[in-house]
Amino acid sequence: MAIKLLTSRGVPAWSFRSRRLLKMSALPSTSSHSLTSATVSPLDPVEAAKRLAAYTAVDNHIRPEDKIIGIGSGSTVPYVVERILQQGEERNKDRVFLPTGFQSQQLITHAGLRLGDITQYSQLDCTIDGADEVDAELNCIKGGGACQLREKVLAEAAKTFIVVADYRKNSDVLGTSYTQGVPIEVSPFAYTSVLRSLHTKLDSPQATLRMARAKAGPVVTDNSNFIIDAPFSEAVLRKPRELLVKIKLLTGVAEVGIFCDIVKAAYFGNQDGSVTARSANAHIVENNN
């Protein structure tokens, strides 16, 4: 099966079949490497899907003229950095890479790329990040790795924000596959009052403080805040913008792991070796021919 991405005018833009990227003129290609020419070692199906999505996103959106690039967090992002390195030293020598957290900072420095900080750059050319779930309108749940505040700062600062994930994160409605709840970063001083408001005012009775697995006590973010995971009903999550505003208005909330009206395109690697691409200005048509 092939998946075709059509622009809003119905013109074919990209078609993906097996592990081959077929480049067409409606969208720019930015990499001198094709997916077939890359040296690919065997991976399990989920990891292979992550890598395929990441490679395709980098090829399509990290252009030679892009110099300030945001690198997100999550299990798909190492493949983003891997593909950027494959663009070559000449292309990367004048670039600066901004991390969303400790993980991406380590990826950038270990790869020998130039590390920058958001305080130095008010606008980025492109940010590529992972996602815990993406709905049919490109709204996202992010924050499974407790980085949503910094992720959103870099997403909003970028001219183009792209998300990459495997097929398990591709949903029609948020909360379908990512059932842990909406991640909410809160001030430690305010977490009990935020929890009470979530329980009593916003209909999330199962909202809980996220506890660490390898240490005693709660998860602490890179900003020294706590994380609350707040499950909501499907009916509520069908209106993510409204929910985002309601949570953000609670005193003590630093950021909410709902991303709305930010994503320009999302890439999902599939089990069959294809890529599903969703664009803010396009729709997906499946072609079984």
Side-chain angles (χ1 to χ4, degrees), residues 77-94:
V77 171
Y79 300 118
V80 171
V81 175
E82 182 177 278
R83 190 59 165 174
I84 287 172
L85 280 175
Q86 290 176 11
Q87 291 187 339
E89 183 177 348
E90 182 65 25
R91 187 173 293 185
N92 286 313
K93 67 179 183 178
D94 296 324

Side-chain angles (χ1 to χ4, degrees), residues 3 16-18 35 49 52-53 56 267-270 272-277:
I3 304 289
F16 303 96
R17 187 184 296 275
S18 298
L35 294 188
L52 187 61
T56 305
Y267 292 82
F268 305 94
N270 298 316
D272 64 358
S274 65
V275 171
T276 297

Side-chain angles (χ1 to χ4, degrees), residues 20-21 74 135 146 171 186 189 255 267:
R20 196 154 45 95
L21 173 63
D135 73 8
S171 300
V186 300
F189 182 77
E255 193 49 75
Y267 292 82

Side-chain angles (χ1 to χ4, degrees), residues 29-209:
S29 170
T30 62
S31 175
S32 59
H33 303 273
S34 68
L35 294 188
T36 51
S37 67
T39 301
V40 178
S41 58
L43 293 173
D44 70 68
V46 171
E47 289 302 310
K50 292 177 183 179
R51 180 166 63 184
L52 187 61
Y55 277 26
T56 305
V58 170
D59 288 352
N60 291 359
H61 298 283
I62 304 299
R63 304 165 299 178
E65 61 267 29
D66 292 335
K67 302 301 181 184
I68 313 299
I69 299 166
I71 301 295
S73 311
S75 60
T76 307
V77 171
Y79 300 118
V80 171
V81 175
E82 182 177 278
R83 190 59 165 174
I84 287 172
L85 280 175
Q86 290 176 11
Q87 291 187 339
E89 183 177 348
E90 182 65 25
R91 187 173 293 185
N92 286 313
K93 67 179 183 178
D94 296 324
R95 287 173 168 168
V96 178
F97 297 86
L98 280 60
T100 60
F102 182 81
Q103 177 210 18
S104 48
Q105 177 180 318
Q106 293 295 100
L107 287 170
I108 292 166
T109 55
H110 289 170
L113 300 171
R114 186 186 303 176
L115 182 68
D117 187 85
I118 190 63
T119 59
Q120 300 171 284
Y121 304 95
S122 61
Q123 187 174 64
L124 287 65
D125 294 307
C126 183
T127 293
I128 299 185
D129 203 347
D132 296 303
E133 190 171 24
V134 185
D135 73 8
E137 296 182 354
L138 296 185
N139 303 304
C140 300
I141 288 180
K142 292 176 52 58
C147 298
Q148 66 262 37
L149 173 56
R150 297 191 181 195
E151 288 172 340
K152 192 171 285 189
V153 170
L154 263 63
E156 292 180 346
K159 298 175 185 175
T160 304
F161 177 52
I162 306 298
V163 297
V164 292
D166 63 79
Y167 56 92
R168 301 171 302 171
K169 314 296 179 64
N170 188 1
S171 300
D172 288 331
V173 181
L174 296 181
T176 302
S177 62
Y178 189 81
T179 58
Q180 295 92 316
V182 174
I184 305 167
E185 185 165 349
V186 300
S187 165
F189 182 77
Y191 88 90
T192 55
S193 63
V194 173
L195 273 174
R196 183 172 62 252
S197 294
L198 289 166
H199 293 160
T200 61
K201 297 179 181 179
L202 297 186
D203 296 322
S204 182
Q206 303 303 316
T208 57
L209 184 67

Side-chain angles (χ1 to χ4, degrees), residues 139 173 234-244 258 260:
N139 303 304
V173 181
E234 178 181 331
V236 172
L237 287 168
R238 283 186 177 276
K239 300 177 180 179
R241 294 170 189 82
E242 293 182 13
L243 180 60
L244 169 61
I258 298 176
C260 297

Side-chain angles (χ1 to χ4, degrees), residues 217-248:
V219 168
V220 179
T221 72
D222 290 341
N223 309 302
S224 301
N225 291 322
F226 291 169
I227 296 290
I228 291 173
D229 292 304
F232 292 92
S233 68
E234 178 181 331
V236 172
L237 287 168
R238 283 186 177 276
K239 300 177 180 179
R241 294 170 189 82
E242 293 182 13
L243 180 60
L244 169 61
V245 172
K246 289 178 181 179
I247 299 174
K248 194 69 181 286

